[in-house]
Amino acid sequence: MVLDNVKHSAADGPLGDIAYLVRSDHRVSVLVVLSDCPQGRDELCERTDVSSSTIRRTLGEFEKRSWVCKNGHQYEATQLGSFIAEAMQVLIDRVETERKLRDVWHWLPEEFGELSVETWPDLRVTVAEPDFPYRPINRFESLLQGTTRFRCLRPEVSLMEPCFGLLFQLLDDEANITLIDRRACHAYFLSTYPERSAEMIQRDTFTALEHDRLPSHGIGLLDDRVTISCFEKGSGTVRALIDTDSPEVREWAESVYASYRTDARPIDMHQIVG
């Protein structure tokens, strides 16, 4: 489609229009709103919380670019405006997703980058902050509540110890639990909580396995969600927790878990405690 009557703004090409849109918070919002349904200026002021004069200038600039047109007392997006609004919304969504992941990306397994980018927006990222160091653990505990099947690869002491009582409760509720971890981690629980640990191991629905070469991250498979635990190298502190209900991520996590489950061994309580 060729539009010979369109007057381009004096800009610096496409980047000039993008810069104009993102220079003020309300501009993309206004264009997105108008691409959904016509609005009057007063309605736009109320929805964007900006002044009438600002909305008037914004609509004037949009009209110059043929992004909106006036129909009576209302404005609506043209096909060109809707095209731009959709593209900007996609860009903003992608940047929001990237901002969630950038601080934890170096903790994630390399294979995770091979998953399709369509799975990324579904990821919930919970990062430990200086004022809220237990935020990832609290998120994990909330996900663990009420699950009927829990399988975990490298649970780590820092993640599981705050949830130890909840694990016991889940077993009382007949949940099926399998933990694959390093021998040192199993030894910690057996020595720190000997009676309760021994009782858990006697349960038919609880399985504790050891593996010598676990990944640097943890994987949890719950009823409805998958968790990826990011640990600080050396200390094992929980730095972040990622959880999702993405089928693609679950397929990947199931595959990784199964590969380690094949080589995992039942723990020998006497050997560990001794």
Side-chain angles (χ1 to χ4, degrees), residues 99-217:
R99 286 172 63 86
K100 287 194 304 183
L101 292 173
R102 68 171 65 162
D103 292 335
V104 300
W105 191 256
H106 62 287
W107 281 312
L108 294 175
E110 291 183 7
E111 303 89 345
F112 194 84
E114 299 173 4
L115 298 173
S116 64
V117 296
E118 284 76 15
T119 65
W120 295 2
D122 296 328
L123 303 176
R124 174 163 175 169
V125 181
T126 308
V127 180
E129 304 288 350
D131 294 338
F132 302 99
Y134 291 102
R135 183 175 283 165
I137 296 171
N138 292 340
R139 173 62 182 169
F140 178 76
E141 190 170 16
S142 71
L143 294 173
L144 203 55
Q145 293 275 0
T147 193
T148 62
R149 188 184 186 198
F150 174 53
R151 293 164 292 157
C152 194
L153 178 68
R154 192 179 176 179
E156 278 293 344
V157 171
S158 59
L159 182 65
M160 299 308 297
E161 187 168 25
C163 305
F164 194 61
L166 176 56
L167 281 180
F168 202 82
Q169 177 186 322
L170 290 174
L171 288 172
D172 281 342
D173 294 337
E174 299 184 350
N176 195 300
I177 298 174
T178 302
L179 306 179
I180 304 175
D181 211 338
R182 295 170 294 136
R183 177 177 294 185
C185 292
H186 289 310
Y188 173 84
F189 284 102
L190 285 167
S191 60
T192 308
Y193 309 98
E195 293 182 4
R196 180 156 284 192
S197 295
E199 185 177 346
M200 290 174 71
I201 290 174
Q202 297 302 315
R203 300 285 186 99
D204 292 336
T205 56
F206 180 81
T207 304
L209 304 171
E210 65 176 88
H211 199 291
D212 298 327
R213 296 181 180 180
L214 293 175
S216 59
H217 58 280

